[in-house]
Amino acid sequence: MVGSSHEAMHRIFQKDPALLTRALQQVLHVPFPEPHDFAGMNVDLTEIEPIERRVDTLLRAETDEGAYLLVVESQGKPDERKRGSWPYYLSYLYEKYRCEPVLIVVTQNSATARWAAEPIHLGVRGCPSLTVRPFVLGPDNVPVIAKASEAERDVPLAVLSAMTHGRGRQAPAILESLAAALRTIDRDSAAVFVQFVDSCLADTQARKMWRDMMTAIQYFWRHPLAEEVREEGREEGRAEALTEMILRILRVRDIDVPDDVRARVEACRDLDQLIRWSERAVHAARADDLFALD
């Protein structure tokens, strides 16, 4: 079970290591060679002396140019202690494994992303002995994936997009597109991705919307949400969840809902019809657009 956004933001790369190199190549435009193999590594960098140091995720990527160590750090807010620990991580790993280390910082916060991207200079001002330049993935460069066709082309990247951007007016389209894309992959992987997204949605309305969507498409996984779904009942519970989701999407998008539209949605118990209306709610210009094609 993923219990926090910190865990989800780096563990997604454990689930799909290739997403990390795609992000380096496509988002950050780093000429990173194409790996042909990955291996998870021990994240404990503690020495015999009692100074404990651990990275969040550590992967070894084998490429035609040699092996790289991909160090992933999930950062919620600026922390000046990282100015000392990040250079230590890279130096220690290079000395221990004789592989080139690459530091990638992931964050949901733009201010934290700007802070993390600042080079770390150690030594004489203007002529440092050591400079560390972290690569940063955050709201300003992770793409917003709000179309199902785009989400289906790269589901892990769509998950990262939802984890990074799942708030505000764009949240309904992002989450709806991802929900559709999750239907195209195996259920076990989908269940893990569902947890990652759920852990990262700090916005209460967006999280409720996401849980309603997962209830509607019946994702059952070993997670406390699964128990909530089971307790809600079968079709009646799913219909109520869909109804609430449709009205919430319209509300988040600042679309006025007349009483007659609300009454029609709340009276419907046809799950297929409610699902169609929920998909239309993401793009509707006004509430009446829900029924335009009926």
Side-chain angles (χ1 to χ4, degrees), residues 184-247:
T184 68
I185 65 174
D186 67 277
R187 291 181 65 85
D188 289 341
S189 293
V192 173
F193 288 146
V194 166
Q195 292 185 46
F196 286 160
V197 174
D198 186 80
S199 297
C200 288
L201 293 175
D203 183 273
T204 303
Q205 286 191 323
R207 176 176 285 189
K208 184 64 168 65
M209 184 187 305
W210 178 245
R211 292 184 176 187
D212 288 347
M213 289 179 181
M214 295 304 98
T215 300
I217 59 178
Q218 304 179 62
Y219 269 115
F220 293 102
W221 66 98
R222 291 184 178 88
H223 186 278
L225 298 182
E227 298 304 320
E228 296 177 21
V229 171
R230 295 186 182 99
E231 290 172 3
E232 286 180 0
R234 309 206 186 283
E235 290 199 4
E236 183 65 24
R238 291 196 293 274
E240 292 177 0
L242 278 167
T243 297
E244 187 174 351
M245 179 179 69
I246 293 166
L247 298 175

Side-chain angles (χ1 to χ4, degrees), residues 47-201:
E47 299 186 58
I48 296 176
E49 297 299 321
I51 299 177
E52 183 175 334
R53 298 183 186 273
R54 294 176 184 270
V55 297
D56 288 330
T57 286
L58 180 60
L59 299 168
R60 182 185 177 106
E62 299 290 346
T63 79
D64 291 337
E65 299 179 11
Y68 287 84
L69 300 178
L70 303 178
V71 183
V72 184
E73 284 281 280
S74 174
Q75 199 67 29
K77 60 183 179 180
D79 182 353
E80 289 305 316
R81 293 174 299 176
K82 297 295 186 180
R83 297 293 175 187
S85 58
W86 286 343
Y88 170 86
Y89 295 165
L90 300 182
S91 299
Y92 175 89
L93 289 168
Y94 180 78
E95 177 63 22
K96 182 173 182 178
Y97 296 105
R98 292 295 168 176
C99 295
E100 299 294 340
V102 180
L103 174 62
I104 303 99
V105 180
V106 291
T107 181
Q108 296 174 281
N109 183 276
S110 292
T112 301
R114 290 191 293 272
W115 166 82
E118 295 175 3
I120 302 170
H121 301 296
L122 301 180
V124 178
R125 182 173 298 178
C127 189
S129 297
L130 174 67
T131 297
V132 174
R133 300 180 185 276
F135 296 117
V136 181
L137 293 169
D140 296 331
N141 56 15
V142 172
V144 174
I145 298 180
K147 295 182 179 179
S149 58
E150 294 179 4
E152 290 173 12
R153 281 198 295 270
D154 193 336
V155 176
L157 185 60
V159 174
L160 183 62
S161 177
M163 292 161 62
T164 307
H165 300 287
R167 65 181 63 193
R169 291 177 61 85
Q170 59 192 353
I174 293 172
L175 297 178
E176 183 74 31
S177 298
L178 177 57
L182 289 175
R183 296 186 180 97
T184 68
I185 65 174
D186 67 277
R187 291 181 65 85
D188 289 341
S189 293
V192 173
F193 288 146
V194 166
Q195 292 185 46
F196 286 160
V197 174
D198 186 80
S199 297
C200 288
L201 293 175

